[in-house]
């Protein structure tokens, strides 16, 4: 069985751990979002790729879902003592080594896909991890005013900031006027990405953020069409009308989509999505689909417990996604 998964960070990493438990013999390719990537202290940081790599490789911080386990922050403290910022984004000491090695390989002329393969050679995540593109794509958020500046943006159109500044520094508390994966339209899928999609038995969307994780992957030319040609099953990251983790509601508001499992399925749309798993609290989505709601027409919706508390509960969700995909593909 060949499965291809489009992935953001924490939610995807936990789902993938369940998928590996549910389908230990499957060949799994993960296409990771790189639009969250940022250069700090001259080092290239790839949060979503690293969350997947560390979590599946057994070295991730379990509570936070990003960075390394047993981490310290002595380098960050030294940098702060030099007055070097930013101070709002903490890189741990062990994590720093990953970014140093990545940047070293990139500066030797290697592509991000090659560098990711080299880093995964150490972590052995049990999946093939591919960045969505080797080209630079950066999610930028347009905001009207910045609480840490005394004045609102002088540009009446608003101010563009890096996604991480909006997400981590501002905790998404300032409404986003727009969220754009800048550079996506001119980017190419990384080597192996389109082949992994076309060669898969089915494609899965984990409970990742539809706007800033799955959205940028689909925005890379060629990926959406390749995915749409396959059987696709998604897992809702919205449970009971709220994101399980993170601030996906602030992202959905920016694109005018309601924070509900049904609205996210309609946002992906029947042209892309064949099956959709929702939590038992969100049976409204199931009822809407059964009542023939045109926004959900053709999407098979199933309800089951969707909280990923541990590996067995994540594996049960992954197994339900596999079962639905097999049913829809037959
Ligand atoms: N998220 C935070 O909320 N605060 C941090 O200081 C922070 C540091 C960090 C360092 C490395 C890394 O790979 C991820 C990190 N994250 C941090 C998480 C991350 O920025 C976001 O959760 C994701 O980009 C959203 O998918």
């Amino acid at each position: 069985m060949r499965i291809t998964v489009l992935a953001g960070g924490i939610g995807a990493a936990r789902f993938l751990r369940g998928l590996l438990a549910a389908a230990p013999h499957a060949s799994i390719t993960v296409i990771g979002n790189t639009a969250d990537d940022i250069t700090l202290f001259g080092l290239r940081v790839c949060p979503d790729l690293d969350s997947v790599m560390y979590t599946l490789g057994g070295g991730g911080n379990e509570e936070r879902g990003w960075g390394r386990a047993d981490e310290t922050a002595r380098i960050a403290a030294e940098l702060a003592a030099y007055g070097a910022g930013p101070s709002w984004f903490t890189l741990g000491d062990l994590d720093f080594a990953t970014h140093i090695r990545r940047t070293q390989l990139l500066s030797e002329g290697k592509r991000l896909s090659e560098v990711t393969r080299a880093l995964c050679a150490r972590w052995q995540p049990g999946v093939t991890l591919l960045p969505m593109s080797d080209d630079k794509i950066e999610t930028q958020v347009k905001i009207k005013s910045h609480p840490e500046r005394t004045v609102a943006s002088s540009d009446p159109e608003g101010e563009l900031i890096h996604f991480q500044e909006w997400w981590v520094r501002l905790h998404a508390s300032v409404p986003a006027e727009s969220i754009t994966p800048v550079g996506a339209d001119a980017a190419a899928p990384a080597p192996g990405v389109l082949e992994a999609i076309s060669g898969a038995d089915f494609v899965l969307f984990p409970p990742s953020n539809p706007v800033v994780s799955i959205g940028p992957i689909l925005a890379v030319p060629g990926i959406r069409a390749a995915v749409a040609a396959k059987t696709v099953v998604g897992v809702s990251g919205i449970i009971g009308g709220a994101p399980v983790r993170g601030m996906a509601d602030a992202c959905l508001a920016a694109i005018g989509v309601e924070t509900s499992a049904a609205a996210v399925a309609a946002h992906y749309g029947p042209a892309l999505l064949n099956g959709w798993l929702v939590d038992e609290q969100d049976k409204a989505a199931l009822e809407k689909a059964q009542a023939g709601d045109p926004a959900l027409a053709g999407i098979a919706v199933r309800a089951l417990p969707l909280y990923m508390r541990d590996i067995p509960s994540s594996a049960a969700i992954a197994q339900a996604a596999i079962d639905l995909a097999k049913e829809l593909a037959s």
Side-chain angles (χ1 to χ4, degrees), residues 177-193:
E177 302 281 311
S178 65
I179 299 179
T180 313
V182 175
D185 46 1
V193 164

Side-chain angles (χ1 to χ4, degrees), residues 8-10 33 36 45-48 50-51 54 66-67 88-92 95 99 163-164 167-168 171 212-213:
I10 308 160
N33 171 42
D36 289 10
V45 180
C46 301
D48 285 355
D50 288 350
S51 279
Y54 290 155
W66 50 266
W88 48 265
F89 200 87
T90 308
L91 296 174
D95 198 26
H99 313 312
F163 165 72
Q164 295 293 357
W167 190 256
V168 175
H171 303 292
V212 297
S213 298

Side-chain angles (χ1 to χ4, degrees), residues 97-320:
T98 302
H99 313 312
I100 292 169
R101 181 65 179 144
R102 173 182 293 121
T103 307
Q104 181 186 28
L105 292 170
L106 288 171
S107 66
E108 286 170 9
K110 294 206 167 53
R111 295 177 294 184
L112 183 61
S113 49
E114 297 172 281
V115 174
T116 304
R117 198 182 319 131
L119 298 177
C120 286
R122 173 194 172 185
W123 287 101
Q124 297 289 313
V127 300
T128 301
L129 177 61
L130 302 176
M132 63 194 199
S133 177
D134 282 332
D135 301 319
K136 188 178 167 203
I137 301 167
E138 180 174 297
T139 296
Q140 294 183 0
V141 180
K142 189 185 276 186
I143 56 168
K144 274 264 164 65
S145 63
H146 199 301
E148 291 176 27
R149 289 181 197 130
T150 48
V151 288
S153 169
S154 54
D155 183 349
E157 291 290 305
E159 180 185 3
L160 282 174
I161 58 173
H162 191 289
F163 165 72
Q164 295 293 357
E165 184 172 6
W166 182 67
W167 190 256
V168 175
R169 183 182 198 182
L170 302 178
H171 303 292
S173 58
V174 180
E177 302 281 311
S178 65
I179 299 179
T180 313
V182 175
D185 46 1
V193 164
L194 295 181
E195 294 80 356
I197 297 168
S198 63
D201 294 307
F202 49 84
V203 175
L204 301 179
F205 293 178
S208 291
N209 188 309
V211 185
V212 297
S213 298
I214 305 292
I217 304 174
L218 294 171
V220 177
I223 294 188
R224 177 181 283 272
V227 171
K230 306 302 292 188
T231 298
V232 180
V233 171
V235 180
S236 176
I238 305 296
I239 298 189
V244 180
R245 282 183 74 106
M247 301 157 284
D249 43 348
C251 301
L252 289 166
I255 60 161
V257 173
E258 182 194 297
T259 303
S260 73
V264 172
H267 163 67
Y268 286 131
L272 195 63
L273 205 59
N274 305 101
W276 187 234
L277 301 185
V278 301
D279 188 76
E280 288 171 324
Q281 294 173 52
D282 300 298
K283 287 213 170 93
L286 191 67
E287 283 150 18
K288 271 191 184 176
Q290 282 164 351
D293 183 328
L296 301 176
I299 302 177
V301 182
R302 302 280 187 276
L304 70 158
L306 283 192
Y307 281 110
M308 297 188 288
R309 290 180 311 276
D310 47 24
I311 295 180
S313 55
S314 306
I317 296 163
Q319 188 61 56

Side-chain angles (χ1 to χ4, degrees), residues 30-50:
V30 178
I31 299 171
N33 171 42
T34 56
D36 289 10
D37 296 4
I38 188 165
T39 298
L40 297 168
F41 310 106
L43 302 175
R44 197 68 182 149
V45 180
C46 301
D48 285 355
L49 295 179
D50 288 350

